[in-house]
Each structure stands twice: as structure tokens, then as C-alpha cells.
């Protein structure tokens, strides 16, 4: 089985907007992704909604807005199946999305001073680390969880 992404015009639009944001035009990227979110609607394809919300969170001006988009990404992933994800990219496993999604939520809550929810989401991120692939992506998320713990003044395990 090939591990190349299948043509998906919506994913292409999402990734093009993300690249635009990463190349120095975050406001334009945010506008494009927000318009696409409105096109998809609340019942649009879960892979598209999860991916879009995940990236859109990073383009927000406030932590509160970032948290809202991270929550939307987590809600969308709960509707996503491996079969659907693998139609786009055969190696995708939905459970492997969870550590990153929970870590993002933990980080937002920490920055907002919401210690309890930050701990809860960090615990969930840790619980799902076993789902990550043994590849550079998986290692980057594991490292981010380790770094988060090291920087977390509320962590009582020290």
C-alpha cells in the first residue's frame, strides 16, 4: 500500500493556507481557513474540520480564540474514523492525533491559568502517547509532552 496522499481539493486548500501562514501572512491564512470552515459547516467532513481547526488554532490572536479552535479540532476527531483518514493518507491513525490535540488544549489552559483543565488534558496527552508512530512526528510530540511537563510549575511529580 502506498503512503502518498490521495488528491483531496479541500485538504489542498487547507495546506496551501497553512503554508501561506507559515510564510509570513497569518492574517490572510486565517481569513482563508475561516472562510473554508464556514463552507464546511458543522456537519462537514470530520477530517477536513479536524485538520482545519487544528491549524486555525495556531493562527489566532488570543489564547481564548486558540482554545476554541483546539476544542473544535478535538470534537471533530471524535467523529473521524481510521477508514476516512486513510482514504487521504494510508498511514494515518486517528488515535495518533490525540496526543497533539490534548497537548494543545493543555497548553491553552495553562496559559489561561486554568490549572485543573491543563493537568487533565496533559494526562490525556500522556495516555495517548503509545498511539504515536515511531517516526519524527511521533518523537516531536513525545518531546513536546516532556518539555511541557518540565516547564509546568503545577506538575507535582518533581
Amino acid at each position: 500500500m502506498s503512503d502518498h496522499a490521495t488528491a483531496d481539493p479541500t485538504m489542498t486548500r487547507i495546506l496551501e493556507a497553512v503554508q501561506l501562514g507559515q510564510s509570513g501572512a497569518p492574517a490572510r491564512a486565517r481569513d482563508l481557513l475561516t472562510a473554508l470552515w464556514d463552507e464546511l459547516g458543522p456537519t462537514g467532513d470530520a477530517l477536513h474540520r479536524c485538520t482545519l481547526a487544528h491549524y486555525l488554532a495556531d493562527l489566532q490572536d488570543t489564547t481564548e480564540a486558540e482554545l476554541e479552535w483546539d476544542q473544535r479540532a478535538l470534537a471533530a476527531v471524535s467523529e473521524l474514523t481510521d477508514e476516512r483518514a486513510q482514504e487521504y493518507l494510508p498511514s494515518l491513525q486517528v488515535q495518533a492525533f490525540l496526543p497533539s490535540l490534548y497537548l494543545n488544549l493543555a497548553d491553552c489552559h495553562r496559559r489561561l491559568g486554568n490549572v485543573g483543565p491543563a493537568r487533565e488534558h496533559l494526562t490525556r496527552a500522556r495516555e495517548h502517547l503509545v498511539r504515536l508512530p515511531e517516526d519524527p512526528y511521533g518523537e516531536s510530540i513525545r518531546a513536546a509532552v516532556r518539555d511541557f511537563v518540565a516547564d509546568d510549575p503545577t506538575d507535582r511529580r518533581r
Side-chain angles (χ1 to χ4, degrees), residues 36-105:
L36 183 51
W37 178 266
D38 292 342
E39 283 178 37
L40 292 174
T43 59
D45 184 300
L47 176 65
H48 297 155
R49 287 184 294 119
C50 179
T51 304
L52 196 151
H54 178 68
Y55 285 120
L56 201 45
D58 294 337
L59 296 169
Q60 299 306 303
D61 292 328
T62 68
T63 304
E64 292 84 1
E66 183 179 345
L67 177 61
E68 288 179 29
W69 284 107
D70 283 333
Q71 290 169 331
R72 288 177 182 143
L74 185 65
V77 84
S78 71
E79 300 172 27
L80 184 56
T81 65
D82 283 340
E83 293 78 19
R84 170 58 188 109
Q86 291 166 7
E87 287 174 15
Y88 175 65
L89 188 64
S91 65
L92 290 179
Q93 299 286 321
V94 173
Q95 292 295 309
F97 294 12
L98 294 174
S100 176
L101 296 175
Y102 282 122
L103 183 62
N104 289 344
L105 288 164

